[in-house]
Amino acid sequence: MSQATIDDWTAGYAVHMRSYVIDAPQIVLAGLTRDWAEMAPHLSKGQPQDVERDLAHAAAKHAYLIAGTAVQLGDQRLAGRWWLTARDLADRSGDGLLSAYTRSWEVTNRIAEPRENLTELLTLARDARRRAGRRPSTTLMYATTVEAEVLAFMGRHDAAVGTIRRAEETFDRLPSSEPSREELLRFDQSCVYSLAGRHRDADEAQRAAHSFYGPDTHLYSSAQLSLYGAALHARSDPDEASRRALDIIGTVPPDRRIKRVVLTARHVLNAVPEQARKLPAARELQALTTGV
């Protein structure tokens, strides 16, 4: 096992990630499977300590992308197996920040599924934040934003806002040597402030987030951001918000209309007042998101 081979797999992760945010899940999984088929035999063999560490590091990233892709394909059982594999490999790498990031990213992907146990996800998000340590880092910031996202999904809006504020403080304290990953903060700000009904904060976060997540480069995240924007206005203008949500989903090609995007539209419905849920657009949105 050469270091050049591991470096090649490490570089391949970036290629797979670019595909993950915009391509159909079947295409993403095919590419990941090819790399994994090469990695797997080496993972089961004894390796020198430094090789095992670097191999586990590269493999953990591929494993959590496979798990996330399984979520997009709607295969929860397959995803569950790969989440466990990703966590195990991240822990074997000895990199505490990777262990934290892997868990945060798992929560990010699992949270849209309505059958998930949000209390369990909150525990996992808090474990990720603990593993990220206390030193300001991109991983600590991300773990904190994900915890805030779970709290928002639970309807604990005051706690969610307080937690996202702590993430903002961490972001402001990042050393210059850290990649800022500002887009991660802005995305979860948009989610939390929109679901909490904080209009000014949500509008500001939406503008910032959309500058990072364009439909040409981040199709799924761009659609989700727009849906959070619709949810923000669903209480005051339920008909327009419902129509807007339908239009947003309609811009995603059918072969890439992944579950995570369609289910985000449920937040629009949740914000629509009860008496307005019989409006044609709201009923159409309900039909579109039922049974997904």
Side-chain angles (χ1 to χ4, degrees):
M1 167 59 56
S2 69
Q3 186 61 47
T5 299
I6 296 175
D7 290 345
D8 180 62
W9 288 328
T10 299
Y13 165 78
V15 176
H16 295 309
M17 178 57 84
R18 286 195 295 272
S19 178
Y20 178 85
V21 298
I22 198 165
D23 288 332
Q26 294 85 347
I27 294 174
V28 181
L29 188 59
L32 285 165
T33 301
R34 285 194 297 271
D35 269 0
W36 189 265
E38 295 177 0
M39 283 186 199
H42 301 284
L43 288 167
S44 61
K45 294 178 182 177
Q47 303 285 354
Q49 187 175 7
D50 57 339
V51 173
E52 182 176 359
R53 181 193 63 230
D54 292 347
L55 177 59
H57 200 282
K61 293 183 173 184
H62 281 69
Y64 68 58
L65 274 186
I66 293 172
T69 305
V71 170
Q72 292 182 340
L73 290 167
D75 193 332
Q76 301 302 315
R77 186 178 181 189
L78 179 63
R81 293 172 178 171
W82 282 98
W83 291 130
L84 291 175
T85 298
R87 283 188 233 164
D88 177 63
L89 287 166
D91 295 347
R92 281 168 53 187
S93 77
D95 184 342
L97 292 180
L98 179 62
S99 291
Y101 188 92
T102 297
R103 287 162 170 81
S104 295
W105 206 75
E106 176 180 345
V107 174
T108 295
N109 280 270
R110 290 173 57 187
I111 196 170
E113 171 56 59
R115 290 170 292 186
E116 285 283 1
N117 183 323
L118 291 178
T119 301
E120 177 185 321
L121 290 185
L122 182 61
T123 299
L124 187 58
R126 286 175 169 167
D127 181 36
R129 178 166 54 82
R130 178 184 62 79
R131 289 170 182 269
R134 296 186 177 182
R135 185 184 71 83
S137 67
T138 300
T139 302
L140 175 59
M141 179 199 74
Y142 179 46
T144 310
T145 71
V146 170
E147 181 181 344
E149 184 181 13
V150 179
L151 289 166
F153 274 51
M154 296 174 82
R156 297 171 57 183
H157 295 144
D158 289 344
V161 169
T163 303
I164 204 72
R165 297 290 193 206
R166 288 198 294 276
E168 292 164 4
E169 292 170 3
T170 300
F171 176 76
D172 289 340
R173 293 164 50 216
L174 287 177
S176 58
S177 58
E178 277 283 307
S180 74
R181 298 302 305 275
E182 182 181 350
E183 72 276 11
L184 299 175
L185 174 64
R186 301 311 177 199
F187 185 94
D188 280 337
Q189 280 180 321
S190 177
C191 167
V192 169
Y193 289 135
S194 294
L195 297 186
R198 303 287 186 104
H199 283 257
R200 186 178 67 179
D201 290 328
D203 287 341
E204 182 178 334
Q206 281 271 315
R207 287 192 295 272
H210 275 296
S211 70
F212 293 105
Y213 294 104
D216 294 334
T217 58
H218 295 80
L219 176 64
Y220 306 132
S221 295
S222 176
Q224 284 182 276
L225 283 169
S226 296
L227 287 167
Y228 286 132
L232 179 65
H233 300 283
R235 294 177 182 86
S236 58
D237 194 346
D239 187 51
E240 175 58 28
S242 298
R243 291 179 186 280
R244 175 66 179 142
L246 290 168
D247 289 343
I248 293 164
I249 294 174
T251 64
V252 180
D255 68 323
R256 288 182 281 174
R257 203 165 292 168
I258 62 172
K259 196 172 185 179
R260 175 161 51 95
V261 170
V262 177
L263 287 175
T264 302
R266 289 193 176 188
H267 293 293
V268 180
L269 281 172
N270 291 342
V272 169
E274 187 67 35
Q275 66 272 19
R277 293 186 183 179
K278 293 183 179 180
L279 292 168
R283 293 181 64 166
E284 186 178 348
L285 191 60
Q286 175 72 53
L288 184 64
T289 60
T290 298
V292 175

